[in-house]
Amino acid sequence: MPPAQEFNQLGILAVVLLLILFYGGTMWMSVGISRKKENADGYMTAGNNIGFGISAASMTATWIWASSMYASATAGYTYGISGPIHYGLWGALMILFIYPFGKRIRKVAPRAHTLAEVMYARHGRSSQLMLAGSNVLGSLISLTSNFIAGGALISMLSPLSFGAGIVIVAAGVLMYTLWSGFRASVLTDFAQVMFMLGAAVIIIPVIFFVAGGPGMFEAGVAAGNVTPQQENFFSSEAFMNQGAPYIAAVLAYAIGNQTIAQRLFAVREDLIKPTFVTATIGYGGSVIGIGMLGVMALYLGVEPMNGDVNNLIPQMAGTYLGPILLALAFIMIIGALSSTADSDLAALSSIVMADIYGQSVGKKKANPKTMLLVGRISMIVATGAGLYFATAQFNILDLLVFVGALWGCLVFPVIASFYWPKVTNAAFSVSVLAALVAFLPVRFEWIPFTGVLGFSVELLATVGIGVVLGIMSFGFFGLKPAIWVGGIATVAAAPFTFAGIFTGGLRDYTVLSASLVAYAVSFLVCYLMSVRSKQNFDFDVIKDITGDFDPDTPQTAEQIVAAAAAAKASETSGGSSSSDSQRD
């Protein structure tokens, strides 16, 4: 195994030119699709008619963000060979598992803009604000973490400071997203993800062979750099600490996050399945591959710079890549964080436009010009807030855990609201609040969970296992198989979860047990409050309440093709053909 090389940096001029090239290119793309008279609905969901290639690339790019890259590498460094597998595989499968729910959501609300908007039509204002509020907070924290990742990358691989880095990234993302909103986000996502995947295919093998190739694994074991659990492909430690908690967290992220919902509402309805399947493969392959950089660092005995494992990817790139490939890696990470940062800005603006302004005045009374102004102002405010949080000493991890828990509390009530007409506004709201109240003391260990309390936590967590697997099964197979899967999973897991009933057990894995408790409580409360309800909600009402705010809605691709065909028929067949096609 060759010795570690000197750590390389890019010069200020090189970094400035790369950033101008990247953000200048995205700005050029955004200007190219801009309209003199922007449409409010197009600004939020691009006319609900995005094609397969752009939608699949955008979904992939939104999930492959800088924190996802860094977390996968951290999983590899912490848990060994199985770490990136647990991170990337389960995250990818969650994309796949939510597409059946996506089809149902689009069926009942074909032209909605946000999930919160649909909850307003389904339940009322309180449920809408719960979902919208969690999305605003989550997107703001995601935006902040991407700014932090960009600032850290620029300060590490160039002489520029962290402060200069976050300002450059924030200004660049805002510049091209503000121009055309969501349409700019999805179009630039396509270019960014193509570049990211191409760069990853080159960079990862180069680092692997320059760092020593297959020999690094034997040398790492001989040097005592890895433990038996880190060597084990089926590590139980990796599954309980990384894989299982991530299944619950990413399912919540997929259902509760507006960046995903926005793409669901934007893609053509008949392309939902291929879009999600393609994004599953793209995300899984790329994130697992990038996570292997953390595995290499583990076997090589690399100590993270400044003791921060988030520095592993740029550290490995700066150590084992030459100037040209280092520039390629730099742009790859900038592309990853920018693709998600612009998605966060577009998501935030759509929530403010549709949920805070649009539904407060009513769909028919909303002024499209005011909506656009509100959306653009919200992007500017969100960027300023993200910069403030990035420079202040806030614990972003604790905030991320809080928002992730809130989404976990929302998963069952949200899904049930799209299928079960008995679910009431009270059941939705109370179940979410009860789950949050149960989650917080478990996650942050505010009180000792021993004896009866410990048994209660493990009982609820065991039920939570059945709820998670039941939800995953329900989308594909329907209600009866989901009940069987959930019931069998709960019974089968009980001997293991209660194995240490007096000395510990599932409660020892705090993150996992807290997330499962949130799922269980939200399910139990929502079900028990709804099962005796006499409400029989008519889902057709949702289509009437949600929909376009801007009467000047642009034609869809199908409408344009039909109009062109009608015009051609008119030219060849005369006026009768024209009148026939108008009647059709």
Side-chain angles (χ1 to χ4, degrees), residues 198-211 213 216 289 293 296 321:
V201 168
I202 298 171
I203 289 168
I204 297 169
V206 169
I207 293 178
F208 176 75
F209 286 107
V210 171
M216 80 172 77
L293 294 177
M296 294 182 215
L321 295 178

Side-chain angles (χ1 to χ4, degrees), residues 84 156 162 167 197 224 362 393 505:
M156 194 169 180
F162 174 82
V167 170
L197 296 178
Q393 298 299 313

Side-chain angles (χ1 to χ4, degrees), residues 255-573:
I255 295 297
N257 192 284
Q258 171 60 14
T259 60
I260 305 302
Q262 201 167 16
R263 280 150 183 78
L264 171 64
F265 290 124
V267 66
R268 248 176 49 196
E269 196 168 349
D270 61 313
L271 295 176
I272 291 175
K273 180 178 179 179
T275 293
F276 277 74
V277 171
T278 304
T280 297
I281 298 170
Y283 171 85
S286 57
V287 169
I288 291 172
I290 292 168
M292 290 302 164
L293 294 177
V295 177
M296 294 182 215
L298 171 68
Y299 278 84
L300 291 168
V302 172
E303 289 294 329
M305 193 171 290
N306 300 323
D308 187 354
V309 289
N310 287 328
N311 290 330
L312 282 172
I313 291 179
Q315 184 176 346
M316 292 291 285
T319 302
Y320 295 105
L321 295 178
I324 294 177
L325 290 181
L326 184 59
L328 191 67
F330 178 84
I331 292 295
M332 178 184 75
I333 300 173
I334 289 292
L337 65 91
S338 297
S339 67
T340 305
D342 64 36
S343 299
D344 290 324
L345 287 179
L348 283 163
S349 68
S350 67
I351 291 170
V352 176
M353 290 168 71
D355 296 310
I356 296 178
Y357 171 74
Q359 293 295 349
S360 65
V361 300
K363 185 174 70 172
K364 294 181 180 180
K365 296 180 180 180
N367 186 327
K369 290 184 179 180
T370 303
M371 291 190 77
L372 286 168
L373 178 61
V374 166
R376 289 186 168 118
I377 290 175
S378 68
M379 284 191 184
I380 296 171
V381 172
T383 301
L387 282 172
Y388 172 74
F389 292 134
T391 55
Q393 298 299 313
F394 286 96
N395 192 323
I396 300 299
L397 179 60
D398 285 347
L399 293 176
L400 280 171
V401 169
F402 175 79
V403 174
L406 182 57
W407 287 339
C409 299
L410 286 160
V411 172
F412 181 83
V414 168
I415 292 177
S417 296
F418 282 101
Y419 292 89
W420 196 16
K422 284 178 169 287
V423 179
T424 64
N425 182 45
F428 185 102
S429 302
V430 173
S431 63
V432 171
L433 293 174
L436 187 60
V437 169
F439 166 84
L440 291 174
V442 178
R443 174 61 185 88
F444 297 108
E445 300 179 281
W446 289 343
I447 55 178
F449 286 95
T450 57
V452 175
L453 281 178
F455 174 80
S456 300
V457 167
E458 291 185 342
L459 177 62
L460 288 171
T462 306
V463 173
I465 293 172
V467 173
V468 171
L469 294 179
I471 290 173
M472 293 164 62
S473 303
F474 173 69
F476 284 99
F477 308 114
L479 181 59
K480 288 185 178 180
I483 293 173
W484 278 101
V485 169
I488 292 172
T490 301
V491 173
F496 302 97
T497 56
F498 291 113
I501 189 168
F502 295 109
T503 59
L506 189 57
R507 78 189 81 160
D508 291 338
Y509 300 93
T510 306
V511 176
L512 174 59
S513 57
S515 298
L516 292 174
V517 165
Y519 275 96
V521 172
S522 65
F523 159 71
L524 291 171
V525 174
C526 186
Y527 174 77
L528 292 174
M529 290 186 66
S530 301
V531 69
R532 294 181 178 274
S533 168
K534 296 180 180 179
Q535 176 179 279
N536 188 24
F537 183 78
D538 181 6
F539 288 100
D540 289 336
V541 172
I542 295 177
K543 297 178 183 178
D544 298 328
I545 299 177
T546 61
D548 295 331
F549 288 96
D550 197 331
D552 186 23
T553 301
Q555 286 183 308
T556 64
E558 286 81 359
Q559 290 170 332
I560 294 172
V561 171
K568 185 175 181 180
S570 177
E571 292 175 3
T572 56
S573 304

Side-chain angles (χ1 to χ4, degrees), residues 61-72:
T62 300
W63 280 70
I64 306 174
W65 53 318
S67 294
S68 186
M69 287 183 171
Y70 290 174
S72 184

